[in-house]
Every structure is written in structure tokens, then in C-alpha cells.
Amino acid sequence: MTVMGTNYQEMKNRASEKAGMLQEKPYVMVGTATCGRAAGALKILDTFKEQVQKHQVETEVIEVGCLGHCYAEPMVIVYKPGFPALCYGNVDEGIASRLVSDFLVGDDPCFEFAMAALEPNDFFPTFADYPRGVYEQKIVLEACGLIDPEEIDHYIAREGYSALVKTLATEPGVVVDEIRNSKLRGRGGAGFPTGRKWGICHDAKADVKYVICNADEGDPGAFMDRALLESNPHQLIEGLIIAGYAVGASQGYIYVRAEYPLAIERLRTALQQARDNGLLGDDILGSGFSFDIRIFKGSGAFVCGEETALIASIEGKPGIPSHRPPFPAVSGLRGKPTLIDNVKTLSYVPHIMRNGADWFKGIGTPESPGTAVFALAGKVVGTGLVEVPMGTSLRTLIYDVGNGIKDDKGFKAVQIGGPSGGCLPESALDLTIDFDSLQHAGAMMGSGGLVVLDEDDCMVEIARFFLEFTQNESCGKCTFCRLGTKQMLEILTDITKGQGKPEDLDLLWELAEDIKAGSLCGLGKTAPNPVLSTLRFFRDEYEVHIHEGRCPARKCKDLITYRIVAQKCSKLCDACIASCPVEAVFTRPDMLKEIDLEKCVKCDNCLVTCLPLYDAVEKVSPPVTVAVEGGSASE
Amino acid sequence: MELMEGELEQIQSAVGEVLEKFDADREQLLPILQAVQGRLGYLPREAMKMVAAAVEIPEVDVYSVGTFYNQFRLSPPGKNQIKVCMGTACHMTGGNIIMDSFERRLEIEEGETTKDREFSLERVACVGCCALAPVVLVNEEVEAKVRPTRVDGILLGLGKELPKKEARPEDKAQDSAVPRDVSTQEAGDAR
Amino acid sequence: MSNNNGNNNGNKDSNNTGSNIGGKGKMVTITIDDKKYEVPEGTRLLWAALENGVYIPHLCGIEEEEKPSAGCRLCFVEIEGFLNPTTSCTQPVKEGMIVRTRSKRIDRMVKNAFELLLSNHRLNCGKCAANGSCELQKIAKERGLKLRVSRMRKLDIEAPVDDSPENFSYDPAKCVLCGRCVWVDHNVAKVGAIGLVRRGMGRKVAAFGETTLAESNCTQCGECVQACPVGALAMKK
Ligand SMILES: Cc1cc2nc3c(=O)[nH]c(=O)nc-3n(C[C@H](O)[C@H](O)[C@H](O)COP(=O)(O)O)c2cc1C
Ligand code: SF4
Ligand code: SF4
Ligand code: SF4
Ligand code: SF4
Ligand code: FES
Ligand code: FES
Ligand code: FES
């Protein structure tokens, strides 16, 4: 065995032994990634620690990352020898206490709170027994939520870093070939063939080269990179080291969004552990290859996800993109060849090196092999992170994996790819997802944000929202993006206010086309996509806003008024009156409630406050302009 | 902005300490500015000047960087920082209405700080808890599923005195024609 | 999101942005609008064209700068074999290159980019110090465009004029953000008094802290005024 092999084997033995020991005693895993914390996971963690202490049960309480079932946060896994490990969702302090007293102390696994078991057994269904589990296939998310991200041995026990060992015994060019063969495509948005990019960087002649992991994740509705960093940082680190070795770099960077403090903290810990184990730094595992990784904290600018802007930012300048070529793989950071890959892309790498390119090509579609990771959000029941093979249909993704539309509302559209992507209508539901099919349909894989819209969502307003975002985030360097998106935003805003003109739609389309063709960087080039796709599939909604001054979804504030339906109002409750911040709701002499339209600021308070039993407050569009009878005027 | 007494010395010593920890290198500009803001809560002009001198670049180049990135502030933040998530999921579930409510209550616009420096109001893009939308970060703590009616509760919890419904003389005086008396009384009773 | 099917048809030459300086003296033949020209290899197309009397609209190009900012997006041309219109200020010439400075697509893009700039411009040529020498006027004349905002919304700009310097003044509402002034201030005057600050629609030329120029470290050398293609930085009468 090589030096590397022996060094690694020692580590592996240690890790396996620990993993074996873990199975001998009860343990509790609490998902404390950001979304879990938002739902109160830290309190649950404390409760478990207290209760375990109080009941004197010898139990390890471990913090883990994210299982992807956001809708059920906080989530915990409880294991006790003799039982399958069980996963519980929506855990509160009461449930946490019961799990300790009834399950860990007693022998009642509290099935009433359980979601699923982690392995097949005779008592309880596993995740694989649900539709979501049937369609999901996890590669990069596999260990997320099941291992302690701050404990390198958890990763090593699952074959972690074995791909690195294998790689270090292979010629760099062969490693590049393996990635090329696997047909892996970049998960940062465009789906560029990763192997080709590695090849260009590998072939570039230079004394120094760099590899950068792009963890800027600026899409305002996506969080899978964050979840990966928080849940399994070592997977990314291993991928980045392999990339560095393959292209001949000695220094790596991870460019992380500043808004992700927990991810940064966990990465720091992980990097240190990798160094302590000789997996990072000088002469890795005795192979002679030296490589280190630094974290670079972004400062909050979406455009810094663009490669040249990201580099400018590391160089201490404003994140303003520059013309390509030269491409970073040839001349990037400090003018040196620089490979930039997304978090997910790099997270696939260890799996491919371990299992081979053919294994990877066996998953997904021929031109887009592997899996796709999506952040499901919006009006879908099963919000969270999902990983499905490429080629899964949108319908399966939304209805089977995501469990359908919330509140039994009607599906209207699905927005894929965030601010660079587009909105697809119901007729596209049977589209199978891969890089090319989405691009064809007018959306794009983008970052993997997938937002489901229902009948209550206004397509003009959604287009306006994304455009406002990109307009705000434009670096301002080039004319089309800075001023073109501003013009488009002005037009869209006018339309949502009922002030659109019939000729606006043509101008909008023309501007969109020119901005796409004329902008300097990807931000501007893709910014019009949400508008183009909604214009294409939902033109009628634009027209109704313009010609009838009406918002069919009753979303656009200037095109609605609030009204209390006399027949529905209970007369006896005052909930709406108390809820109104501007005292616009009042009681008429006949005890019915009414809204003073001149005062109403359309805050929605009365509508959400009115009990579902009465459901007496409603929105109407087009707006009522004169005060209705019995209003302030008649008093 | 005028500095208060003693503030200049405080800035100078904080920046001095930060600068000791970093190489005086243009490439360290972002980390340096992040560290300065970490200490002071914002980037005072004096601090940017000191940084420019240390890394030997024109002051205006530091200013370009300081004004480019969302994260940097040029004025001191409020004691309580309220950040309303305006990411996709939060927007769709009414984030803008939440923002409106805060603006109305605090009488400032997004991006501003109240005169008494008690509150500042900002927008953030997705904080990664979309399933709990709409989300507000109150001094970095996540408030999940915020309804517009929760806004007053959050502010009360932070010690903000809200106008009592009865105690709004200017309102009353202005439109005495409206049957306000009935409703305000009832609102009062209902509590 | 990277634009891989973008403006160029090969990354083979991508390490060569084509600096004009230190050319090896070799000449290549290119065709612009059906006429052949001999130009030094590696020169960027915009300068090669201008040198030979072919006008291509441009605001931000700086011949001496190796890394063109390519921000104004006015210098588009069509190059045979390229899928999309290309900015001529970034494109090095190559032997046999066939270029069109006009096409339906180019004309529309230039027209719209031009109107976009005007929509954000305090238009009052009659009273402007640059009247007659303004590059916007020149583009309008060359391309038959109107110095008027017709289809787009006029964006209001309130920024006050800074007339603190002794001999010149700066009107941010006339600035087209070409960045030339900042470049000469940093590279010719070597002062570092002004920069491009803020972002997006807020982007502007300003001194540290957005003070007036007189309050800044500006030496009032006037280099930037010479560089300004429009009437934003202008000598006082
Ligand atoms: C405006 C803009 C924002 C981007 N944001 C990101 C991002 O947040 N994360 C990311 O990985 N790639 C982002 N990209 C794509 C990157 O520029 C780049 O293509 C990607 O990191 C390459 O990695 P890949 O080949 O692994 O996809 C962005 C591109 C643009 C134009
Ligand atoms: S397209 Fe937009 S973000 Fe990109 S360089 Fe141009 S102005 Fe900047
Ligand atoms: S700068 Fe040129 S276009 Fe602008 S107002 Fe002056 S003369 Fe007219
Ligand atoms: S006049 Fe002032 S701003 Fe202009 S180049 Fe000279 S020093 Fe710089
Ligand atoms: S002031 Fe003149 S030279 Fe400077 S950026 Fe504006 S238009 Fe260009
Ligand atoms: S379950 Fe972790 S990101 Fe939602
Ligand atoms: S959109 Fe608000 S948390 Fe994601
Ligand atoms: S001169 Fe080419 S983009 Fe401005």
C-alpha cells in the first residue's frame, strides 16, 4: 500500500470504529442548519440536552445539517439500539421531552410524532415508502442531515476522502479525462461542461493557478448551496482539492456570501480538521501535492456570482464584471489561470472519482447526466431541498415530490432559475427537466430555485419583482443593463398600477431582446427572461392590466380595494377594527363593519384577521373608487 | 454626519487595531472593511481614509468599494436592526406588505434609520428559510411567518411606543365628520 | 449563467485581448463594409476602423487601456462567423476578418442604447458647453438618430451641478458614465480624486464622500475635462 493509502487507512479505521460505537448507544440528531434554527431548532437542542441530563440516559446529542424537509422543521432523528433510527418533524419542546422520557427512557418510540424511519424495518415506513422518496435520488444531499458537519470522522466513515486518495494516485490529466467522460455540467447556472473547463485550465501554462468555489448563491429564492455548506462541508472540500490537483493549482478559495455566517463557521471548522488530518496543506497524505484553501467572504452583491466580478471582488475592487475573453480559466485571479466552479458541481466530484464516470452517466439524461438539486418554494406543500435525477418531469417534481399545491388552489405557473430564469405555464408540466429542455422552454436551470405559483399570483407582478431585483443588483457599468432594465421596470410598474399603455408591450419585448443581446455580463443577458417568458405565456394577464385596469389575481395594490361583505360579516366581532393600523375600518349604525377607502392603506390586516368562519373581508379588482354607500360621506 | 465627542478617537483606535491584523495590501481591502464594520457597525469616513492610507490607494477607491457592496453601511445602524426578507418566497407571501407596515410604524423608508437611532430598517434577499416565509430578521433572530398584524407586536417587544388608537388627536380633529368615535371606542374595548 | 455561446467564436485566442501597444508591426487585411484595410495585427477593431475613417459610435473606449471597460455598448458590429453582434472596442483584428458596421440588428441596438442614454440625460444642447463637440451629437448625426426621447420614459435626474472648481464644472445629469475622466484622473493626472462610486442606477462619478471637487483632493488640472466626450465635465465660459 502507498503512503497515502496507509495514512488514509488509519484515519478510516478510527472513523469506522467511532461510527460503530455510535450504534451501541442511543443518540439524538437535531437539524441545526439555518432553516432549522429559524424554526427553533436550538431550543429543541437545549431541551434534549436538559432532558437527557435530567433522566440520566446515556445519549449523545449531535447537531447535524439539513434533511431537506423544510416544511417539517425543526426535525430530529432519534436512535436507540433495538429500534430503527426514526425521524420526527415539527418537533416542539413538548415532543422533545416526550421523546426522551417515553422513547429513550421508556420503550415507546412515539410513532404518532414520527415522519419516517431511516432504514427498512417492521414497524414504520421509511422515506423511500413515500412518493417523494420514490422519485428522489440523492447524491450530493445524501449525507446531509445524517452526519455532524463539524466532525470529519462522520464524513470519513462514509468513505469520505477516499476519492482524494484515489485521485492523488492518478495523473492529473487522467482525472480531467474522468470528469470530462462523466459529462458533468456546471451546476452554477449555465451547465457548461465541467471537464472542458478543467481541461482548458489544466492545459494553460502558468507558474501559479487557482481554483475557486463559487458559493455566492445570490438567487433570492435558493438555498441549496448554503444547505450543502452547512450540512456536509467536507464533501465540497474534497471536491475542491481534487479540482486543484487536476488543474495544477496550489491555492483554493471558497467565495461565500456574507449572509451565511453559519456556513462560514462550519466551513472554517471543517478546513481546520482537514488540515489537522493532513488532508489539506503541505504534502497532502504524503503524496507530494500541496494545496490549501482560504475562505473569502463576499459583501453582498448578486453580480459577484459572475466569474469576472467575483475575481474583481477578491482582488479588493468593486464587483464589476469585465469583458470575456480572456476567460478566467486562461487569465483570472491575479491574471493567472483560474478555475471557478459551483458548490454543487464540486460536491459531485468525489462521487464521480469514487464510482467512476460510467456510474454517473447512468443517472439522468444522456446530455445532462446526474441529478438536479432544487429548492422548492412558493405554493407547494413540500417546500425544501430535493434531489431528483435529471429527466424528471415538472409534474412529478411538483405533485409527487413536492406533494402538490398548498390549500388545494389551482396551479398557475412554475418559476425556475430565479432572476435569470423564466415562468412556465401548466402546458409545460410534462416537460422533463434538464439543462437544454429548460433553456428551450424559455426558463433555465439557473441556480435551482423553483417557485410554484398558484391562481392568487399575478404574473406581471412576479415579472416586476424579478426585474426589480436584477435592476437593483445591476453593477451599473453597461448601458443596456443599467438603463434598459430600469426602463423595463418603469413600464412594468406602470402596468401594475393600471397606467400601462397598449404600445408598452412591444417596447417591453424590444428592450428585452436588446438587453439580452447587448449586455456585457450574464446578469444583464438573463435579466429579461422573467419578462419574456411571462409575456410569452401570460400575455393576456398583461393585457387585462392595461386595458381593463384589473389585476386578475388581485395582487397589484393599486388595482384592488378591500371590502367587507355585508352578508358574511358577523357584526358582533370587532377583530378587523382592532387590526387596522390606520383606523379605516369602522362600525356603521347598523353594526355592519365597513372600510373607509380613503384611509385604507391596503395592509391586508383585516383580511387575515377576519376569522375563516366569516371570511367577510375580500379584495376586488378593478378597484372601487368612490366611497360606497354608508361610508364616511353619508354620515 | 457629525461625529459625537470621543467618537473620532474610538474610530481611530478601532481601525488601528484592525489594520494591525491585516497585510497592507489592496487585496485585503474587503476583509479590512468587513472587520472595520464589524467593530464599528458602519464605515465612518475617517475609517475609510485611514484604510486608504494604509493600503496606499486613493481614498475615492475605498469609497467606490464601500458604496458598491450591499453589506457596507456609511451611517451608523440603529440599535435595533430590522431586516425584512424580500426574497422570492417571502415576496410572494406578502413581504412587501410587511415592509410597508414597518415603514408606516417607524416612519422611515427602507434603508433608513430612525432619528433617535433606535431602529433601522433594511431589506435582505432570501435568508434561506423560505419555508417559513415571510421572514423578518429582528437583530439577527428569525421571526417566521410574520403576518402584518405581528409587526406591532415585534416593535412593542423592542420597546417602541406605538400610538394608541385613542390618542391620536390630530386624526380626530381633522375628520370629525367620520363616525370615528364609535369605532375607536369599540376598538379600545375589544382589547 | 455564463455566456458560453457568446460573442466570440473560440476561446483559443482568449489570452490575447489585443493590446494596441507594442504591436509586432505585422499588418493584416480586414474588410469593413466591403472595403479592404491594412491594419496592424492585434489592434482592436474600433481603433482600426476610426483610424481609417470608418465611424463606429463609441463613448467609453480608451485606446491606451488594455482591458477595455466595454460599458457603453454602442460600438457593436457584426463579424462574419460570429453568432452575435460584438463590441468592436474589445475585438482584436485578425487576418481576413469581415466586418459590417451596419445591419438591421446593429442599428436597432444602437438606436435603443442611444435612447436609453438620453432618457437619463439632461438634454439642453442649446445651453451646453459641449454643443458642437459632443459625442452624443456626433452619434446622432452619423446614425441619423434624434436627440430626443420618444418611446422611453424620461427618468428624472435631480443631481445638482458642481461648479466649485475654478475653471470647469461637473453636471452629473449629463454624465453618460463612460469612465474616461476617472481613467485619466488615475492614469494621466495620477491624482485619484474621482472614481465611479455606488452601483446600478446610483452609479456616478464622484470624489471621496461625494463632496464637491473643490473640497476633494482634486488639483483642478483639467485633464478629465479634456477626456469627457459630452458636456458633463466642461470648461466654464
Ligand atoms: C449575475 C450572475 C450571478 C451568478 N451567481 C452565481 C452563484 O451565486 N453561484 C454560482 O455557482 N454561480 C453563479 N453564477 C454563474 C457563475 O458565473 C459561473 O458560471 C459558475 O460559478 C461556474 O461554475 P459551474 O461551471 O460549476 O456552474 C452567476 C452568474 C451570473 C452572471
Ligand atoms: S450586464 Fe449589468 S451587471 Fe453585467 S456588467 Fe453590465 S451593468 Fe454590470
Ligand atoms: S452633452 Fe451633448 S447632448 Fe448633452 S446636453 Fe450637452 S450638447 Fe446636448
Ligand atoms: S481635474 Fe481633478 S478630477 Fe480631473 S483629472 Fe485633474 S485632479 Fe483628477
Ligand atoms: S463625466 Fe464625462 S468623462 Fe466622466 S464618466 Fe461622465 S461622461 Fe464620462
Ligand atoms: S430543511 Fe434544511 S434548508 Fe430546509
Ligand atoms: S425568500 Fe425569504 S427566506 Fe427565502
Ligand atoms: S466603446 Fe465599446 S462598449 Fe463603449
Side-chain angles (χ1 to χ4, degrees):
Chain A
M1 204 183 273
T2 60
V3 200
M4 288 182 277
T6 341
N7 287 345
Y8 178 73
Q9 200 52 48
E10 273 168 32
M11 253 184 272
K12 181 75 199 294
N13 293 345
R14 179 191 70 202
S16 306
E17 196 178 320
K18 264 199 209 167
M21 265 154 55
L22 197 58
Q23 298 299 317
E24 287 163 19
K25 278 183 304 185
Y27 63 77
V28 175
M29 289 177 164
V30 183
T32 57
T34 300
C35 66
R37 290 183 180 203
L42 290 182
K43 239 184 255 153
I44 304 303
L45 182 74
D46 288 343
T47 309
F48 272 111
K49 285 186 178 157
E50 274 163 35
Q51 293 299 318
V52 163
Q53 182 83 33
K54 188 174 132 202
H55 291 282
Q56 299 279 317
V57 274
E58 205 190 320
T59 305
E60 210 173 330
V61 181
I62 306 167
E63 286 187 55
V64 295
C66 146
L67 276 172
H69 295 255
C70 292
Y71 60 91
E73 291 282 9
M75 288 181 71
V76 303
I77 293 167
V78 183
Y79 170 77
K80 182 171 174 173
F83 292 88
L86 285 160
C87 178
Y88 303 83
N90 294 312
V91 175
D92 58 23
E93 285 152 271
I95 299 179
S97 307
R98 291 255 326 258
L99 285 171
V100 177
S101 59
D102 296 9
F103 186 12
L104 295 180
V105 178
D107 264 335
D108 170 12
C110 303
F111 284 136
E112 64 272 33
F113 306 129
M115 280 174 75
L118 294 185
E119 63 256 33
N121 63 87
D122 300 334
F123 316 102
F124 209 76
T126 63
F127 279 118
D129 296 324
Y130 295 100
R132 175 167 168 165
V134 173
Y135 292 103
E136 266 199 292
Q137 180 171 1
K138 293 190 175 188
I139 300 175
V140 290
L141 291 183
E142 224 231 308
C144 294
L146 301 176
I147 60 172
D148 183 345
E150 307 207 33
E151 176 52 87
I152 193 169
D153 284 340
H154 280 203
Y155 182 65
I156 293 176
R158 291 175 160 250
E159 305 295 323
Y161 288 107
S162 65
L164 177 63
V165 177
K166 192 169 159 191
T167 301
L168 292 176
T170 316
E171 279 299 306
V174 178
V175 179
V176 173
D177 285 340
E178 186 74 10
I179 297 299
R180 197 183 277 127
N181 277 340
S182 76
K183 287 192 159 181
L184 173 65
R185 296 172 69 172
R187 262 46 176 185
F192 189 78
T194 305
R196 198 185 315 160
K197 198 155 69 175
W198 285 30
I200 296 170
C201 196
H202 172 268
D203 295 343
K205 303 264 173 292
D207 48 343
V208 187
K209 295 182 191 177
Y210 301 103
V211 290
I212 302 177
C213 166
N214 187 345
D216 196 40
E217 193 157 67
D219 174 348
F223 46 89
M224 43 276 177
D225 291 353
R226 192 214 71 217
L228 278 171
L229 297 173
E230 289 177 353
S231 310
N232 196 354
H234 284 289
Q235 178 176 264
L236 164 68
I237 294 170
E238 186 178 7
L240 192 56
I241 305 173
I242 295 174
Y245 176 79
V247 302
S250 51
Q251 181 68 49
Y253 288 87
I254 304 178
Y255 189 100
V256 198
R257 250 184 112 182
E259 288 90 337
Y260 287 172
L262 181 64
I264 293 172
E265 191 187 310
R266 290 189 171 169
L267 262 179
R268 280 228 168 88
T269 312
L271 286 173
Q272 195 49 49
Q273 289 172 347
R275 264 178 224 121
D276 293 345
N277 282 279
L279 295 160
L280 199 60
D282 285 337
D283 190 16
I284 292 174
L285 291 173
S287 66
F289 172 63
S290 299
F291 182 80
D292 207 348
I293 298 176
R294 257 183 252 163
I295 297 175
F296 192 93
K297 266 196 317 184
S299 276
F302 174 59
V303 67
C304 284
E306 198 279 340
E307 301 185 348
T308 56
L310 185 151
I311 289 172
S313 169
I314 297 185
E315 289 174 349
K317 301 176 198 151
I320 295 174
S322 39
H323 181 82
R324 301 183 307 177
F327 288 93
V330 175
S331 169
L333 184 61
R334 300 169 199 137
K336 303 293 180 192
T338 304
L339 177 75
I340 304 182
D341 273 319
N342 169 261
V343 177
K344 280 157 283 169
T345 315
L346 290 168
S347 294
Y348 283 106
V349 166
H351 298 275
I352 295 173
M353 289 312 294
R354 205 158 38 231
N355 302 317
D358 289 332
W359 162 81
F360 191 69
K361 276 191 288 193
I363 303 164
T365 61
E367 291 313 310
S368 303
T371 53
V373 182
F374 288 105
L376 284 190
K379 308 292 173 63
V380 60
V381 177
T383 50
L385 283 183
V386 302
E387 183 170 2
V388 294
M390 292 278 185
T392 304
S393 77
L394 278 172
R395 191 183 298 281
T396 304
L397 191 58
I398 295 167
Y399 286 93
D400 297 319
V401 179
N403 237 330
I405 313 296
K406 268 185 196 156
D407 303 327
D408 290 322
K409 293 267 168 113
F411 170 91
K412 186 187 257 179
V414 52
Q415 208 284 344
I416 307 179
S420 335
C423 293
L424 300 179
E426 183 149 22
S427 61
L429 272 180
D430 289 310
L431 187 79
T432 55
I433 308 162
D434 63 42
F435 287 106
D436 311 309
S437 68
L438 285 179
Q439 190 113 36
H440 234 86
M444 77 187 282
M445 194 69 96
S447 49
L450 194 149
V451 186
V452 178
L453 311 175
D454 71 11
E455 56 197 71
D456 292 340
D457 292 306
C458 170
M459 301 312 291
V460 184
E461 162 58 22
I462 286 291
R464 199 202 60 80
F465 164 75
F466 281 113
L467 209 75
E468 183 179 39
F469 176 82
T470 31
Q471 152 66 29
N472 248 313
E473 294 295 333
S474 162
C475 82
K477 179 179 182 175
C478 69
T479 306
F480 280 114
C481 177
R482 179 182 75 248
L483 293 165
T485 57
K486 177 70 179 170
Q487 284 289 344
M488 287 179 75
L489 181 61
E490 295 274 308
I491 297 172
L492 287 169
T493 308
D494 280 353
I495 296 178
T496 58
K497 286 186 173 163
Q499 293 161 2
K501 293 176 284 203
E503 64 271 24
D504 278 347
L505 295 188
D506 289 337
L507 180 57
L508 211 47
W509 189 271
E510 190 172 319
L511 277 169
E513 283 185 343
D514 284 1
I515 295 167
K516 260 180 101 102
S519 292
L520 172 69
C521 87
L523 189 148
K525 281 179 194 294
T526 57
N529 285 349
V531 180
L532 284 170
S533 61
T534 46
L535 262 179
R536 187 161 143 205
F537 297 119
F538 300 94
R539 198 179 178 97
D540 54 326
E541 281 198 32
Y542 282 84
E543 283 168 350
V544 170
H545 280 77
I546 294 175
H547 299 300
E548 301 173 30
R550 181 164 69 84
C551 173
R554 279 168 286 185
K555 255 278 152 40
C556 298
K557 216 168 155 179
D558 291 292
L559 299 183
I560 54 167
T561 35
Y562 284 78
R563 174 167 82 184
I564 296 175
V565 186
Q567 294 85 336
K568 289 183 169 180
C569 172
S570 96
K571 295 189 188 178
L572 299 174
C573 98
D574 281 331
C576 49
I577 292 183
S579 76
C580 180
V582 293
E583 298 169 54
V585 194
F586 60 92
T587 310
R588 307 196 315 194
D590 61 3
M591 295 311 283
L592 277 172
K593 312 294 176 241
E594 190 165 320
I595 297 173
D596 180 344
L597 295 181
E598 302 221 325
K599 291 198 153 172
C600 173
V601 291
K602 303 178 187 174
C603 74
D604 216 38
N605 279 14
C606 53
L607 192 143
V608 295
T609 307
C610 186
L611 292 176
L613 173 65
Y614 309 126
D615 190 20
V617 185
E618 67 173 21
K619 297 187 272 189
V620 284
S621 181
V624 181
T625 37
V626 275
V628 274
E629 39 125 11
S632 43
S634 68
E635 187 58 33
Chain B
M1 201 200 54
E2 291 294 313
L3 292 180
M4 283 187 258
E5 223 189 288
E7 265 184 309
L8 184 61
E9 289 72 30
Q10 198 195 330
I11 291 168
Q12 284 169 339
S13 76
V15 178
E17 281 169 40
V18 167
L19 286 172
E20 270 173 30
K21 287 197 213 116
F22 292 89
D23 296 339
D25 179 5
R26 164 111 210 199
E27 280 203 6
Q28 296 297 321
L29 188 53
L30 264 82
I32 291 174
L33 293 180
Q34 285 166 347
V36 169
Q37 176 154 311
R39 290 285 301 266
L40 299 167
Y42 73 115
L43 298 180
R45 271 168 183 235
E46 201 48 45
M48 287 191 277
K49 288 188 172 186
M50 287 174 71
V51 173
V55 299
E56 297 177 359
I57 57 173
E59 288 170 359
V60 71
D61 290 357
V62 176
Y63 189 77
S64 291
V65 170
T67 53
F68 184 87
Y69 296 96
N70 291 329
Q71 193 198 9
F72 296 126
R73 317 178 46 106
L74 299 189
S75 56
K79 215 167 82 195
N80 295 298
Q81 296 191 37
I82 295 172
K83 298 181 181 166
V84 182
C85 178
M86 296 291 233
T88 315
C90 291
H91 173 79
M92 281 174 49
T93 43
N96 49 338
I97 295 181
I98 306 297
M99 180 62 98
D100 286 351
S101 305
F102 276 113
E103 288 182 340
R104 193 162 46 240
R105 275 306 187 219
L106 295 172
E107 295 173 53
I108 51 174
E109 306 251 312
E110 148 201 343
E112 293 180 349
T113 303
T114 52
K115 276 207 203 76
D116 57 7
R117 288 205 202 169
E118 281 294 313
F119 293 92
S120 48
L121 186 60
E122 276 165 54
R123 65 152 64 200
V124 286
C126 188
V127 289
C129 334
C130 306
L132 307 168
V135 167
V136 176
L137 292 179
V138 179
N139 296 325
E140 303 304 320
E141 289 288 316
V142 177
E143 283 269 345
K145 299 198 175 155
V146 180
R147 308 284 2 192
T149 41
R150 174 88 188 99
V151 168
D152 282 1
I154 293 175
L155 292 176
L156 279 170
L158 296 171
K160 163 111 184 132
E161 285 182 29
L162 295 173
K164 287 236 175 60
K165 296 213 166 176
E166 294 86 341
R168 273 181 139 185
E170 67 298 11
D171 266 5
K172 269 189 195 170
Q174 267 169 19
D175 31 34
S176 45
V178 186
R180 183 110 347 258
D181 298 332
V182 191
S183 58
T184 38
Q185 248 168 38
E186 283 178 2
D189 291 346
R191 292 189 158 177
Chain C
M1 281 170 232
S2 58
N3 171 48
N4 300 312
N5 54 352
N7 302 334
N8 53 85
N9 61 349
N11 355 358
K12 287 169 247 111
D13 317 293
S14 44
N15 43 359
N16 179 9
T17 17
S19 114
N20 292 326
I21 330 153
K24 290 152 234 137
K26 202 183 145 205
M27 300 297 271
V28 294
T29 308
I30 60 171
T31 311
I32 307 179
D33 296 337
D34 299 325
K35 275 178 84 173
K36 287 203 171 7
Y37 300 93
E38 290 265 302
V39 295
E41 183 175 27
T43 324
R44 283 186 308 261
L45 190 52
L46 173 64
W47 310 109
L50 292 175
E51 188 75 7
N52 286 289
V54 181
Y55 186 74
I56 298 173
H58 63 105
L59 287 168
C60 70
I62 298 168
E63 196 169 357
E64 298 83 357
E65 174 55 53
E66 275 196 58
K67 293 186 182 147
S69 115
C72 76
R73 316 309 284 170
L74 287 167
C75 66
F76 278 109
V77 294
E78 307 256 13
I79 299 177
E80 219 172 88
F82 284 35
L83 212 58
N84 294 310
T86 305
T87 42
S88 57
C89 66
T90 54
Q91 182 60 48
V93 293
K94 271 177 229 140
E95 179 59 44
M97 191 174 250
I98 301 174
V99 182
R100 303 220 144 263
T101 63
R102 305 289 295 266
S103 73
K104 239 173 122 178
R105 200 153 53 146
I106 298 282
D107 286 358
R108 185 178 110 178
M109 281 170 76
V110 172
K111 173 170 143 276
N112 281 335
F114 189 72
E115 190 172 342
L116 282 173
L117 286 170
L118 292 189
S119 75
N120 197 33
H121 186 88
R122 188 180 286 160
L123 262 174
N124 58 349
C125 297
K127 287 195 189 145
C128 181
N131 198 357
S133 64
C134 174
E135 195 71 26
L136 290 173
Q137 291 176 325
K138 175 150 191 194
I139 295 169
K141 193 167 142 250
E142 291 277 346
R143 289 289 159 107
L145 300 169
K146 297 213 173 59
L147 269 166
R148 199 180 65 210
V149 182
S150 47
R151 298 162 77 203
M152 294 180 195
R153 268 100 171 136
K154 188 88 190 135
L155 309 171
D156 300 320
I157 351 163
E158 287 149 23
V161 176
D162 175 7
D163 51 15
S164 65
E166 200 116 330
N167 298 319
F168 64 93
S169 62
Y170 165 52
D171 182 355
K174 283 186 185 166
C175 172
V176 294
L177 290 176
C178 70
R180 295 169 59 92
C181 54
V182 174
W183 192 86
V184 294
D185 168 66
H186 276 61
N187 296 289
V188 179
K190 297 202 194 316
V191 176
I194 50 176
L196 286 159
V197 307
R198 299 191 181 266
R199 196 178 72 200
M201 283 300 290
R203 187 164 155 100
K204 62 174 168 184
V205 170
F208 178 79
E210 293 169 54
T211 62
T212 62
L213 287 169
E215 291 169 275
S216 76
N217 59 334
C218 166
T219 61
Q220 307 197 6
C221 69
E223 288 285 352
C224 56
V225 183
Q226 300 310 313
C228 183
V230 298
L233 280 163
M235 297 310 284
K236 287 182 180 166
K237 282 177 201 150

